[in-house]
Amino acid sequence: MILTVLLWMGAGIWVIFSIQFVLNGWIIEDLSACEPPALKSWPRVSLIVPARNEERDIREAVTSFCRQDYPDFEVIVVDDGSTDRTGKILAELGQEFSQLKILRGSEPPPGWLGKLNALEIGRKAATGDWLLFVDADVKYDPRLLRRAMAYAQNRDLAMLFVWPNLLSRGPLEAVIMSGFYMVCWVVLPIFLQKRTRSTLWALGGGVFNLVRRDALEAAGAFESIKDAVVDDITLGYQVRSAGYYQGFVAAADWIQVQMYRGVGEVIQGFTKNTYHLVRRWPWIMIVIFGVGVIISILPYWTLVSGLGWGTWYFPAVASLVLMHI
């Protein structure tokens, strides 16, 4: 009896996930596939990039930032105490691109985390009406900034987060990174984000956080989140809490990033990204693991064991069909 109830519960969850997946894909727009009306005047944008020991990706990333097809922008890279070749690479890029400004980071004040301090340094030096915060390992298509700014302005947004293409190398990384897609596009009803200012649907990411300057300052800028471990989502939360609209779109291959390389980086990254949830609600991990067993493991176990008993359970088959779809 209990097994049957759990199986029907799992099948019900997969039905809900399937509906959300369809709605998310239908309602969330793709910048690469839609072209908003051009603006009569293009506001100045400052791309702010915190960088610490990023020699592996920074040349390609900063080059892609500096080659944006946008009328008025600057790129500010804050070299936050790098000990590798990051500084040398940036100096070479500074000779190539006139819109690139390179700043030296400083020791964070008491209570500040290093990355937040670097972002604040970049914010204070920026001259743009809009600020785009992006990590130093992300690559942009040249058309991205123009399309994103037109989208944000035409919809009267104060902040725009753009979902990237998450690259992976090898089967293990692919399996693990698919979890990000699963959470964002299946588990969460992110389509509701376009319909409300509720902080419950605050989003953000180090790949593309575009914020209007006045909204950022009204939200307390980085002073208000100076010790946030997950700074990008927290920034979205602050902007929404200040009463501003935030948008969310996808960008297909126009934003590419390989977040982690190897199992070690994956573990470190996922630990950081789940830390703020576990700290606020320690019981949530028990719920996540419990639901995970019901929807992902129990249907397989029931199907295999049922075949041995000469029987089968419809909800287990339904869960597996929806899961694989």
Side-chain angles (χ1 to χ4, degrees), residues 47-271:
L47 286 78
I48 299 173
V49 188
R52 181 180 176 85
N53 294 336
E54 298 283 356
E55 66 176 6
R56 183 170 58 189
D57 299 296
I58 198 164
R59 184 183 298 278
E60 189 175 355
V62 172
T63 298
S64 74
F65 304 152
C66 292
R67 289 181 175 167
Q68 287 300 296
D69 177 23
Y70 191 82
D72 187 11
F73 75 101
E74 63 180 351
V75 178
I76 300 173
V77 180
V78 182
D79 184 1
D80 190 24
S82 297
T83 56
D84 62 0
R85 297 180 61 251
T86 296
K88 181 179 179 181
I89 295 172
L90 288 173
E92 294 172 357
L93 292 173
Q95 298 294 319
E96 182 178 354
F97 298 106
S98 60
Q99 67 270 54
L100 175 60
K101 299 179 182 178
I102 304 166
L103 304 179
R104 290 291 180 184
S106 62
E107 191 69 22
W112 283 73
L113 293 181
K115 182 180 178 181
L116 276 302
N117 181 54
L119 289 170
E120 179 69 359
I121 291 173
R123 182 191 72 86
K124 290 181 177 179
T127 60
D129 301 311
W130 286 74
L131 309 178
L132 173 53
F133 301 100
V134 53
D135 293 340
D137 58 351
V138 185
K139 289 84 177 178
Y140 284 175
D141 183 280
R143 299 164 288 182
L144 177 64
L145 183 55
R146 180 185 289 267
R147 188 76 60 91
M149 180 53 66
Y151 184 93
Q153 291 278 68
N154 281 298
R155 286 161 179 75
D156 196 27
L157 301 176
M159 181 174 181
L160 180 65
F161 165 56
V162 183
W163 179 266
N165 178 18
L166 300 175
L167 303 177
S168 59
R169 299 288 184 268
L172 180 59
E173 284 186 30
V175 168
I176 295 174
M177 294 311 299
S178 69
F180 270 177
Y181 286 101
M182 177 73 179
V183 170
C184 192
W185 293 96
V186 178
V187 175
L188 297 179
I190 54 174
F191 63 90
L192 295 176
Q193 199 265 358
K194 296 171 66 68
R195 302 292 187 263
T196 175
R197 294 189 188 187
S198 170
T199 56
L200 182 64
W201 306 113
L203 296 172
V207 292
F208 194 101
N209 263 352
L210 179 64
V211 190
R212 204 172 64 218
R213 179 186 285 274
D214 65 316
L216 179 63
E217 293 174 352
F222 292 107
E223 175 71 32
S224 63
I225 61 171
K226 59 186 178 183
D227 60 347
V229 176
V230 186
D231 55 276
D232 40 24
I233 298 177
T234 307
L235 180 62
Y237 177 87
Q238 291 296 106
V239 171
R240 276 186 169 259
S241 297
Y244 292 93
Y245 273 121
Q246 179 196 40
F248 171 67
V249 292
D253 290 330
W254 284 20
I255 302 180
Q256 295 190 1
V257 59
Q258 185 175 358
M259 295 180 63
Y260 311 121
R261 291 174 171 85
V263 178
E265 289 189 12
V266 168
I267 293 174
Q268 184 180 22
F270 273 78
T271 301

Side-chain angles (χ1 to χ4, degrees), residues 3-15 291 294-295 315 319:
L3 175 63
T4 304
V5 170
L6 292 177
L7 288 172
W8 277 112
M9 183 186 302
I13 292 174
W14 278 112
V15 169
V291 172
I294 292 173
I295 69 174
S319 291

Side-chain angles (χ1 to χ4, degrees), residues 261-280:
R261 291 174 171 85
V263 178
E265 289 189 12
V266 168
I267 293 174
Q268 184 180 22
F270 273 78
T271 301
K272 188 197 79 168
N273 286 316
T274 57
Y275 168 77
H276 71 296
L277 287 176
V278 177
R279 184 178 64 173
R280 293 180 64 182

